[in-house]
Amino acid sequence: MKRKLSWIFIAGMTLVISSGFLIPSSKKEVVLNEAVSLFLSMRHYQPLKVDDNFSTRVFDLYIERLDLNKRYFLQPDIDKLSEFKLKLDDQWKSKNLEFFQLSSDLIQKRLLETRAYYTEYLTAPFDLKKVESFEADPDKIKFPRNETELRESWRKALKFQVMTRVAGNLQTQEEAVKKSDTVKVKTADQLEAEARKGLLDNYNDWYSRVKNMDEDDRWSIYINSVISAYDPHSTYMPP
């Protein structure tokens, strides 16, 4: 069972910070940075060395948690963020938030942009007879190089989700027909339209929640990436 870093415990630790670092009252992220560093160093008999290897683990975990399926960041975004890949250990020690703030701004920008993609594709029928390939394993795909590739990855992903729903509903319908002759049979086109409508509702709901995310929410993702790189059995729970 994961050990929870409670807000009360983290806040209490900030009172005993003795590094000489002056913590601005407006920077909660900096306070938590110092508190978590202290907690991790005190908690472990042999604390993990915070070096370039640690920095790489944090970077990979954080990017994966922000965009596991590579549906938001472009490769140029990753290139820009990768400039910090071997510097996160130094930034963590110096309470430098440059990487975090850049990543937060970029993911917010891409989230707002991609909302138009699913809205466009889910309001028009897909050609389910057209054979196309789609790779669903995030480990086997690369980040899109540009907006054109990003839009195409969204189109294929949405088509795949629609096809999966249609196939499942067709099977359910066939089984129902075998049991009763009063079942109202729907055509593939009707099932496709229903699948798109259901997905559109789901994405609208998800994006409405994303819209309400703030920097504190993304900071929780970042700080948990740091903690997981240090100790997979611990996690930070925001207040």
Side-chain angles (χ1 to χ4, degrees):
M1 181 177 181
K2 287 190 174 183
R3 291 173 285 276
K4 309 298 183 183
L5 303 183
S6 72
W7 172 254
I8 294 176
F9 184 69
I10 292 293
M13 286 194 299
T14 63
L15 299 177
V16 296
I17 293 171
S18 58
S19 64
F21 177 72
L22 182 60
I23 302 174
S25 59
S26 61
K27 289 291 185 180
K28 291 184 292 185
E29 293 90 350
V30 175
V31 175
L32 284 170
N33 177 303
E34 185 72 14
V36 170
S37 295
L38 180 61
F39 173 82
L40 292 174
S41 64
M42 293 174 62
R43 182 190 176 285
H44 289 268
Y45 177 69
Q46 291 183 319
L48 185 67
K49 188 175 181 180
V50 179
D51 54 13
D52 288 351
N53 290 329
F54 175 81
S55 181
T56 299
R57 283 197 294 274
V58 171
F59 181 89
D60 291 341
L61 280 170
Y62 180 55
I63 296 301
E64 180 180 291
R65 292 175 180 184
L66 281 182
D67 191 8
L68 173 63
N69 293 306
K70 301 179 174 68
R71 301 268 294 282
Y72 302 105
F73 284 131
L74 299 177
Q75 186 57 51
D77 297 331
I78 298 300
D79 292 341
K80 187 179 297 184
L81 293 171
S82 293
E83 295 176 10
F84 297 89
K85 191 168 187 175
L86 298 179
K87 300 177 182 178
L88 298 185
D89 54 324
D90 298 321
Q91 289 203 345
W92 182 258
K93 293 173 184 176
S94 63
K95 294 81 182 176
N96 186 325
L97 304 177
E98 183 180 1
F99 168 76
F100 166 71
Q101 290 172 339
L102 174 61
S103 66
S104 182
D105 291 343
L106 282 173
I107 194 65
Q108 180 67 12
K109 180 175 183 289
R110 298 306 179 199
L111 283 168
L112 294 176
E113 291 174 346
T114 53
R115 182 163 196 165
Y117 301 167
Y118 80 79
T119 303
E120 174 187 346
Y121 291 129
L122 290 176
T123 51
F126 285 105
D127 182 1
L128 301 185
K129 295 180 180 179
K130 182 179 179 180
V131 178
E132 297 184 273
S133 62
F134 172 71
E135 179 56 68
D137 185 348
D139 292 331
K140 296 181 180 179
I141 59 179
K142 298 180 180 180
F143 284 98
R145 292 174 295 180
N146 49 51
E147 185 179 338
T148 299
E149 289 189 0
L150 181 60
R151 290 177 65 89
E152 181 65 1
S153 71
W154 268 88
R155 185 190 68 79
K156 286 188 173 183
L158 292 170
K159 180 179 178 180
F160 175 76
Q161 292 174 53
V162 168
M163 290 181 68
T164 300
R165 287 194 173 204
V166 170
N169 289 337
L170 276 173
Q171 182 177 356
T172 299
Q173 181 172 265
E174 289 173 0
E175 293 173 352
V177 168
K178 292 177 182 178
K179 297 177 181 179
S180 173
D181 57 5
T182 61
V183 174
K184 185 177 180 180
V185 177
K186 297 179 181 179
T187 66
D189 288 343
Q190 289 175 318
L191 292 174
E192 189 271 347
E194 288 182 358
R196 282 188 291 107
K197 175 63 167 57
L199 279 173
L200 182 61
D201 290 342
N202 289 347
Y203 273 100
N204 280 335
D205 180 63
W206 188 80
Y207 266 78
S208 67
R209 295 198 300 272
V210 168
K211 185 178 179 181
N212 293 324
M213 285 184 67
D214 57 22
E215 199 166 79
D216 286 346
D217 296 312
R218 280 185 281 276
W219 175 251
S220 294
I221 298 174
Y222 180 60
I223 205 168
N224 269 312
S225 299
V226 172
I227 292 171
S228 294
Y230 202 100
D231 176 11
H233 302 292
S234 294
T235 187
Y236 162 70
M237 299 294 290

